[in-house]
Amino acid sequence: MRTLSVNENNDLLLNELGNLTLKTDIDAVLLTARQYASTLLGEMIHNADQGVPYFGVAFGSSPNIAQFEAALRRRLLQCPGVGRVDALSASLSGDVLSYTATITTEFGQGTVNG
């Protein structure tokens, strides 16, 4: 698997010659999984039924972390190259939602944080 590299702001990375850079194998799957996990439900106009329901479940007056974890698990399993989600935990501290997922990919095991 290959995908374009991005920085912490999700901007494309260029090398010293100004060319796009790529991630491959497990690094590509982990990056893609992180991007799948950050996709809001309804954000994709041609696949409006896919994504994570952040606003309906995680944010609002009574966040439901268990529902968020279930939705995130389903979304991660939709990512190409992901075979299973081995562990997933989410927490809400003040107004900051964070998660850590350990996934098994076709290239090995890795961790996705968000």
Side-chain angles (χ1 to χ4, degrees):
M1 177 176 201
R2 291 185 300 184
T3 191
L4 295 171
S5 296
V6 295
N7 64 15
E8 61 278 352
N9 296 321
N10 211 31
D11 294 326
L12 293 172
L13 285 178
L14 303 177
N15 65 16
E16 59 278 350
L17 298 175
N19 297 319
L20 294 170
T21 59
L22 297 175
K23 291 213 180 257
T24 59
D25 300 334
I26 192 166
D27 293 328
V29 175
L30 294 175
L31 175 59
T32 302
R34 191 182 87 215
Q35 291 174 336
Y36 264 57
S38 66
T39 304
L40 299 174
L41 181 64
E43 178 179 8
M44 298 179 290
I45 60 171
H46 297 293
N47 290 320
D49 61 333
Q50 294 187 13
V52 181
Y54 283 97
F55 291 105
V57 174
F59 304 132
S61 59
S62 58
N64 188 324
I65 298 300
Q67 277 186 321
F68 170 73
E69 287 178 351
L72 183 57
R73 183 178 300 271
R74 281 191 305 274
R75 184 67 179 147
L76 288 171
L77 289 171
Q78 294 172 347
C79 180
V82 173
R84 70 176 185 256
V85 178
D86 300 309
L88 175 64
S89 64
S91 63
L92 188 63
S93 178
D95 60 351
V96 177
L97 174 68
S98 60
Y99 69 87
T100 299
T102 303
I103 59 175
T104 297
T105 74
E106 60 187 84
F107 303 102
Q109 194 175 60
T111 302
V112 178
N113 298 306

